[in-house]
Amino acid sequence: MRLSRYYLPTLKESPAEAQIASHKLMLRAGMVRQQGAGIYAWLPFGHRLLKKIEQIVREEQDRAGAVELLMPTIQQAELWRESGRYDAYGKEMLRITDRADREMLFGPTNEEMITEIFRAGVRSYKDLPQLLYHIQWKFRDEIRPRFGVMRGREFLMKDSYSFDIDADAARRSYQRMFAAYLRTFARMGLTSIPMRADTGPIGGDLSHEFIVLAETGESAVFCDRQLLDLEVPGADLDFQGDLSPIMDRYTSYYAATEEKHDPAEFEARVIEGDRIAARGIEVGHIFFFGDKYSTPMNAVVAGPDGKDIAVQMGSYGVGVSRLAGALIEAFHDDAGCKWPISVAPYHVGVVSLKAGDEAVEAACQKAYDGLHSAGIDVLYDDTKARPGEKFARMDLIGLPFQLIIGPRGLADGKVEVKRRADGERWDMSLEQALDFISAEVKAGLAA
Ligand code: ATP
Ligand code: MG
C-alpha cells in the first residue's frame, strides 16, 4: 500500500478525551474514530489490526475443532423469553421494535440463538459433541463505556458454544477451549492468565477469565509469578487427546481477581517473592453452565436408550476488539505502537527519504515488490513529507520494521533497517535488507 493513496489521519498530539495509552495511540495512529459513546468506526489501519487479531482467533478455534458460522446481530425478543433472560438482562440490552411493533434486540451474546439453531438440527447423542463459533458484533449498553475500544458499547466478540451429552464430555470441550485460548493469546505475544471467575448473568458452574497484565487494566489481579513462565501448548497439540493435564497445571497455581481473592490463601500458597498483585485486562471468558439453556429451551437429544436428554452446554468468549487496545497497552513506548509481527497491520514500512528522486524511487519500488511477493505486508511512505515527520509517523504507527531508503545511502549501496521493538538499526545492501526482513517476518509469523 502506498501511503499517498491511503487514509491514515495521524495526530501529533494526544486528544484530551483519551486517558490511557491505547486509546490515545489508537486515535493518534488514525486507527479508529468515535461515532458515539462506546461506538467506533475502524479506519483502514485499525481495521487491518482487527482482521489480524480475528484471523489468529479463527485459526486457533479451527485448530481446536470448533466450526465457524455466522449469526445475525439482531435477534427476536421471543427467543430470549424462552430462556427467561429477556426481562433478566436489564438495561444493558439494546431493545428495538420493528415496523410491525415486534420486539427485537441487538444481541449482547448468543446463547439463546445458538441453542435454537442446535435444537433445530441435532436429534441424537451420536451427533455430539458439537462446538460452534462465530465472530460478530455485539452491543451492550454499558453504563460507563470508556478507554476507547477496551470497553465499548458496540464491540467485536468471538463466541463459541459447546454441546455435549454429559458433564464429563462438556468438561472436555471446556478444556479444549481453555488450551485454545492460551495459544490464541500467546500467538499475539500476550501472556494470559486464566483465573477462576464468577459466572455472572451467563450463569453456571465453572468459569475462567483470561487476563493479560497491564497497569491500566480494570481488574485487580493476584497470582503466582510461576504462572507467567508456564509453557504454552504448541501448534502440535492434539486437541482430540486428554487436555486435562494442561488445565490442571494452570489451575494448580494461585490466580484470582479481586472478587475471588483470599489474602490468607494467597500467602499460604505463594512464596513472598512470587506474589504478583497487579492489574489486568479481561480478554476472554469461558463458562460451563450445564443445562441452564437447554432445559428451558428444550434442546434435547435422544440418548443411547432412546430417552431425551437435555444437552450440557458451555460458552466461550474472546474480546476481539478489546484485544486491539490490550495489545497496545502491552506493546508501546513514548513514540507509539510496537506491534508484534503476528498482529502488525503491516510488517514493514518502506520510507523514501526523497520522493521524486529517480534512484530512490526505483529502490523503494524494488523493495516494495520484493517484499510483497514474499507475502509480506508493506506500507510504502512515498509522500513528500519531511524525513523527520516520516520517522515520527512510522514510530507512531509502530510497524515491526522500517526500511529507510535515501539518496546518500544508495550512493554507497546501502539502505537502513530499523527494528521498532528495540530501536536497533543496521546498514546493509537492499538485497540483504529484503532477505533479512523476510526471514525475520517469517520467523515471527511461525512463532
Ligand atoms: P467485563 O467483565 O469486562 O464487563 P463480561 O464478563 O461482561 O466483560 P463476557 O460476557 O465474558 O464479558 O464477554 C466475553 C469477552 O468479551 C470479555 O472477556 C471481553 O474480552 C469482551 N467484552 C465484554 N464486554 C466488552 C465491552 N463492553 N467492550 C469490549 N469488549 C468487551
Ligand atoms: Mg467476563
Side-chain angles (χ1 to χ4, degrees):
M1 177 56 64
R2 280 174 180 266
L3 194 54
S4 62
R5 295 187 206 141
Y6 202 52
Y7 183 65
L8 186 72
T10 55
L11 304 170
K12 292 216 172 65
E13 306 293 330
S14 284
E17 76 258 30
Q19 295 155 32
I20 62 172
S22 57
H23 190 194
K24 288 180 188 162
L25 286 173
M26 286 188 87
L27 295 170
R28 286 192 54 209
M31 305 183 77
V32 292
R33 174 143 186 97
Q34 190 172 345
Q35 296 299 326
I39 302 176
Y40 290 86
W42 291 77
L43 305 183
F45 192 68
H47 182 244
R48 282 188 71 95
L49 170 67
L50 196 63
K51 289 288 158 189
K52 294 257 175 135
I53 295 170
E54 185 183 308
Q55 188 53 23
I56 291 179
V57 171
R58 174 177 288 115
E59 285 170 16
E60 294 304 322
Q61 288 296 300
D62 293 350
R63 193 195 300 274
V67 179
E68 187 171 10
L69 76 166
L70 183 59
M71 292 178 268
T73 55
I74 305 296
Q75 307 187 25
Q76 310 252 33
E78 222 26 66
L79 205 48
W80 286 66
R81 291 212 168 87
E82 287 190 42
S83 70
R85 279 210 295 182
Y86 189 64
D87 295 321
Y89 215 93
K91 284 190 172 265
E92 280 207 356
M93 180 183 277
L94 181 64
R95 295 157 206 260
I96 316 162
T97 48
D98 69 7
R99 64 168 77 200
D101 274 338
R102 265 185 298 258
E103 292 171 281
M104 320 280 280
L105 58 104
F106 195 123
T109 179
N110 285 66
E111 279 79 10
E112 283 78 0
M113 189 179 285
I114 198 78
T115 303
E116 191 284 326
I117 289 169
F118 172 88
R119 79 182 171 197
V122 179
R123 302 262 180 266
S124 163
Y125 76 97
K126 291 180 193 149
D127 298 326
L128 299 182
Q130 289 282 342
L131 184 50
L132 301 168
Y133 77 99
H134 74 160
I135 301 173
Q136 177 62 292
W137 294 92
K138 307 288 187 285
F139 195 97
R140 294 183 186 173
D141 200 350
E142 302 270 358
I143 304 180
R144 274 224 297 160
R146 56 183 182 154
F147 302 153
V149 301
M150 205 85 93
R151 182 167 295 283
R153 292 198 297 169
E154 190 185 39
F155 60 97
L156 189 60
M157 194 203 286
K158 184 286 300 174
D159 37 326
S160 316
Y161 302 90
S162 63
F163 302 86
D164 283 280
I165 189 67
D166 57 28
D168 280 347
R171 203 167 288 273
R172 288 196 287 277
S173 294
Y174 188 93
Q175 289 163 354
R176 272 207 258 172
M177 284 297 111
F178 190 100
Y181 277 31
L182 293 171
R183 278 193 48 76
T184 300
F185 303 127
R187 276 187 61 189
M188 298 176 196
L190 298 170
T191 303
S192 67
I193 309 168
M195 311 231 168
R196 267 307 283 268
D198 287 326
T199 49
I202 306 271
D205 314 313
L206 176 61
S207 176
H208 286 90
E209 291 178 352
F210 286 73
I211 306 266
V212 297
L213 298 182
E215 277 166 32
T216 49
E218 282 186 318
S219 323
V221 298
F222 303 87
C223 71
D224 191 325
R225 186 175 304 280
Q226 297 188 62
L227 265 172
L228 305 178
D229 299 328
L230 289 180
E231 201 176 320
V232 171
D236 55 350
L237 180 67
D238 174 13
F239 275 97
Q240 301 307 320
D242 180 8
L243 301 176
S244 56
I246 294 172
M247 198 165 122
D248 290 349
R249 184 166 0 111
Y250 273 86
T251 53
S252 69
Y253 293 97
Y254 187 93
T257 49
E258 203 155 27
E259 304 79 57
K260 291 244 158 177
H261 176 55
D262 173 352
E265 196 199 339
F266 192 36
E267 281 184 25
R269 283 184 55 192
V270 188
I271 59 164
E272 201 174 347
D274 281 348
R275 282 179 212 145
I276 293 184
R279 301 199 70 79
I281 301 166
E282 180 195 320
V283 290
H285 196 165
I286 62 178
F287 304 86
F288 165 58
F289 43 73
D291 67 345
K292 182 176 151 79
Y293 300 93
S294 54
T295 291
M297 293 186 66
N298 200 35
V300 298
V301 294
D305 59 1
K307 286 207 189 95
D308 279 351
I309 307 171
V311 290
Q312 295 285 310
M313 291 175 59
S315 75
Y316 314 89
V318 169
V320 174
S321 51
R322 178 177 288 182
L323 274 164
L327 280 160
I328 299 183
E329 292 298 326
F331 301 105
H332 74 275
D333 61 16
D334 289 344
C337 306
K338 299 203 299 197
W339 303 113
I341 288 167
S342 60
V343 294
Y346 293 92
H347 303 123
V348 190
V350 171
V351 181
S352 154
L353 291 182
K354 199 167 180 196
D357 180 290
E358 218 171 283
V360 171
E361 282 194 354
C364 288
Q365 191 62 48
K366 188 175 169 195
Y368 184 87
D369 293 342
L371 292 165
H372 188 73
S373 60
I376 289 169
D377 299 334
V378 194
L379 187 64
Y380 168 20
D381 186 347
D382 60 340
T383 66
K384 297 201 162 61
R386 283 177 296 104
E389 212 173 298
K390 291 190 173 193
F391 295 144
R393 181 165 56 198
M394 269 299 162
D395 282 351
L396 172 62
I397 68 172
L399 308 184
F401 292 96
Q402 298 171 15
L403 175 54
I404 301 155
I405 302 179
R408 241 177 297 158
L410 275 187
D412 287 343
K414 296 273 193 266
V415 296
E416 189 181 16
V417 175
K418 174 177 168 181
R419 182 163 61 199
R420 180 67 179 92
D422 56 6
E424 192 150 348
R425 296 162 178 278
W426 300 269
D427 280 330
M428 49 180 106
S429 72
L430 180 58
E431 285 69 24
Q432 284 172 322
L434 300 186
D435 287 346
F436 173 73
I437 291 172
S438 302
E440 290 279 318
V441 170
K442 295 223 161 104
L445 291 176

